[in-house]
Amino acid sequence: MAVETRRPPVLAMFTNQLIAAVVCFLLTIFAFKWIYDSPWLYAAFILFHLSGIYSYAYSQAKIDHRDRGIYVYRNALTIGLWGAFWIGVILIPHLILLFAVPEAAGAIAAFARFWNYPYSFFLYGLENNGTFHLSAALVSLLLPVVTSYIAYFLSAKGFSLSEKIYKLTHKSTK
């Protein structure tokens, strides 16, 4: 039996959130400054962030089946909730401050925008001019949970998106 050396979900999802924030911010500054105002750029950033959750949950199903002989869908929920937690850890206090004490919300606005940078265009608008989209906040908190369930389910069924894409893009030489 293999020894599990994988990071626990709380640490993996924290790392995923931090890497997504830093990479997306740096890409905006250095590579994609010319399309900074495009929602498609931020949609790609969201997909980048969710790909880390997808990958972790997809491999978790294989680990559960190997170690326990069954699929434990509760683990997909745990992974997704940790992903949502790290989004919400700054988003929810910022939201509360924004509605309860608007003048105090500016104190953490820059950090909140950075921490949730992949979602920032949809949460705060382009220039963060005091707008906040509550529906975008709810969707951003649901996306990690939905993504982890989809990844876990597809892994349990033996369906791999990367294999399907590979077969579509590469020709067999047989």
Side-chain angles (χ1 to χ4, degrees), residues 34-58:
W34 55 279
I35 57 169
Y36 169 73
D37 58 345
S38 172
W40 294 106
L41 176 64
Y42 293 90
F45 287 165
I46 291 170
L47 289 176
F48 175 71
H49 175 256
L50 294 177
S51 69
I53 296 169
Y54 184 94
S55 175
Y56 191 89
Y58 190 88

Side-chain angles (χ1 to χ4, degrees), residues 25-153:
F25 180 73
L26 291 175
L27 281 174
T28 302
I29 291 173
F30 295 114
F32 297 113
K33 196 174 192 176
W34 55 279
I35 57 169
Y36 169 73
D37 58 345
S38 172
W40 294 106
L41 176 64
Y42 293 90
F45 287 165
I46 291 170
L47 289 176
F48 175 71
H49 175 256
L50 294 177
S51 69
I53 296 169
Y54 184 94
S55 175
Y56 191 89
Y58 190 88
S59 60
Q60 183 64 45
K62 293 178 182 181
I63 292 169
D64 288 345
H65 192 263
R66 180 193 69 205
D67 291 348
R68 297 184 181 140
I70 59 170
Y71 295 106
V72 184
Y73 283 88
R74 183 181 64 238
N75 287 340
L77 178 65
T78 302
I79 294 164
L81 288 176
W82 276 117
F85 172 79
W86 291 117
I87 292 172
V89 75
I90 299 298
L91 179 66
I92 293 171
H94 186 236
L95 173 66
I96 292 169
L97 279 175
L98 196 60
F99 289 124
V101 190
E103 51 278 349
I108 65 166
F111 183 70
R113 187 173 175 94
F114 172 76
W115 183 248
N116 293 313
Y117 196 81
Y119 302 89
S120 64
F121 182 85
F122 301 104
L123 289 171
Y124 307 110
L126 186 59
E127 297 301 326
N128 198 14
N129 58 359
T131 61
F132 187 87
H133 304 286
L134 189 57
S135 59
L138 295 174
V139 169
S140 67
L141 292 172
L142 285 175
L143 277 174
V145 177
V146 171
T147 301
S148 66
Y149 261 109
I150 289 171
Y152 198 96
F153 177 78

